[in-house]
Amino acid sequence: MNIVLIGQPASGKGTQAEKLVEKYGLAYVEMGGILRKISKEDSDLGRQIKSIIEEGKLVPDQMTIEILIKHLENLNRLDGIIFDGFPRMITQAEAFEKYLAEKEKKIDLAIYLDLPREEVFKRLVNRRLCEKCGKTFNLLTKPSQAGDLCDSCGGKLVVRSDETPEKVNVRLDLFEQQTRPVIEYFAQKGILEKVDGNRSIEDIFAEIALRISRRNLV
Ligand code: AMP
């Protein structure tokens, strides 16, 4: 099965994805992480993506899709994947579904983690990222056991360049304008499950697992 996880930034997609990977043996494809990795490269593409991400804007569709397809080719699989942060626009959803259909694959389920904007804002400005290994923490909900260092690798914890309050507002506005319609798009296809994301990690995961089993996807 292929699952897409939709939700505002810091709505818990990465955390739930990690648990889905573990329970169902899925591969994890995180679009933001793939793009951030390219943004560190010393190339025209890297520099272009870096400046887009830093402004809190979205990478152009065509570029995003090409990067994703290349990533999937390297992964050598088109099924059993959990997508985090893709698709973020209807045009991406349509183009990707077309690509999958040509390979006789599809998106089986879209899970929307629903959270109030104020909660997301609070989480985002408290989020910290290990500059060495990329592990994420939250000063409020998931602090590092090693203070201001990463408790996995000892790296320094930093604020993401797109997580200042101004940039966060740009990203949340973009979610409303561009990504909110994707939720409706999947709902109309009958593959959307909306889950209340303002609960404990375990409760949310139990709910997601229940919805997956009700749909006979495993
Ligand atoms: P994220 O870590 O998911 O918040 O993504 C970080 C940044 O990567 C976003 O603010 C965008 O600039 C870019 N990005 C991630 N996913 C997409 C996508 N599906 N389409 C366009 N840009 C994206």
Side-chain angles (χ1 to χ4, degrees), residues 7-10 13 30-33 35-36 49 52-61 64-65 84-89 92 124 127 160 162-163 171 174:
Q8 288 145 304
K13 298 191 297 293
E30 188 210 358
M31 198 67 230
L35 292 170
R36 261 192 302 281
I49 291 179
I52 296 170
I53 291 180
E54 282 184 349
E55 282 178 71
K57 304 219 168 113
L58 290 179
V59 174
D61 261 6
T64 306
I65 290 162
D84 170 353
F86 184 93
R88 255 169 151 111
M89 306 172 156
Q92 291 182 357
L124 272 168
R127 191 147 80 164
R160 259 170 60 170
D162 58 351
E163 288 184 348
R171 290 166 66 206
L174 267 176

Side-chain angles (χ1 to χ4, degrees), residues 97-116:
E97 283 187 315
K98 190 163 167 261
Y99 171 80
L100 286 178
E102 281 163 10
K103 321 260 176 202
E104 295 178 356
K105 305 284 183 215
K106 62 180 165 53
I107 295 169
D108 299 283
L109 181 65
I111 298 166
Y112 166 44
L113 290 177
D114 184 28
L115 270 174

Side-chain angles (χ1 to χ4, degrees), residues 13-23 28 82 142:
K13 298 191 297 293
T15 305
Q16 294 301 324
E18 213 175 284
K19 297 178 82 64
L20 285 161
V21 163
E22 199 183 313
K23 184 171 169 92
Y28 179 43
I82 175 128
K142 198 180 154 199

